[in-house]
Amino acid sequence: MLSPAKINLGLEIPYKRPDGFHEIRSVFLRLNWGDDIRIEPITPGAFELVSDNQIILEKRRLYDEVSEKGDLSKNILFKTFSKIRAHYRELPGVRIHLTKKIPPAAGLGGGSTNAASLFSFYFGLSPEFNSDHIFKLAAEIGADVPFFLSENHCLVSGKGEILKDIQVHPGQGILALTPQVLSTAEMYAGLKKPLQADPPSKRWISLGNDVEFSLKEGNWAALREKLVNDFEPLAFQKFPELGKLKESFLANGASYSSLTGSGSCIYGLVQGLEIREELLAKMQTEFPDLTFVSFNY
């Protein structure tokens, strides 16, 4: 089955919370592109991972370091298995076949989506594994994991666990799989956000309503004036080529373009398959060394 990637439409970080996490406000879109994962039950207590690493060459090593070829204890699938087993020891072990396409350090939720796939597998095996508990355990694994359990596009707030399902007009896009590595921890630290616990501002509530309307109508161009990714200035300062990539997406026909998450991937959204093919051809000509992926949502 597909373990889908996500992109962020806007990512505001208004403040750092007293619990040490950062408050976020974003729109998460599920893509029809991602990793392929197959999970089968085996002997209770056993965990096996078989990986086919298809990540772009520059980042392939990052996954190998936490796969069965490296330190498996650092792999998010193993961490998820261990947490689930701590609560439900009667559940079977797993053998996971993973075709890994989503690069790490990309802002695409590659680890979180795999974890959610494993939660979903176990959710179907035990009537005791109720939805409230699964979301609680998922949030303990990673802030983005609950989103991948929702199966919808969402307005996301809190530390990532507050989800509001939204309607999004079907659309298309191009994703640039960039080789640059941006540490999530370093990017958050670079924002230097104050410690506070303010409620959502009236501006965000109003903005959220405007954004929902634009998404429902498929008015991607209108989002340029409504959404920002707070990580872009930091990412573009460190790697100016990422800023140039965004500019090229827009210049070559994308209705909307942005860094996703804390980076480093950049995407462009369009209205129509023909426009997407034209955009892809132009981007491949301008950036022949980059890998581009077409997606729908």
Side-chain angles (χ1 to χ4, degrees), residues 67-82:
S67 74
E68 69 275 19
K69 298 177 182 178
D71 186 352
L72 193 58
S73 67
K74 295 182 180 179
N75 187 281
I76 194 169
L77 281 165
F78 180 77
K79 293 177 181 179
T80 301
F81 168 77
S82 298

Side-chain angles (χ1 to χ4, degrees), residues 13-27:
I13 316 295
Y15 56 84
K16 187 174 183 179
R17 298 150 47 117
D19 60 9
F21 291 93
H22 285 79
E23 185 76 11
I24 74 166
R25 294 164 189 169
S26 183
V27 176

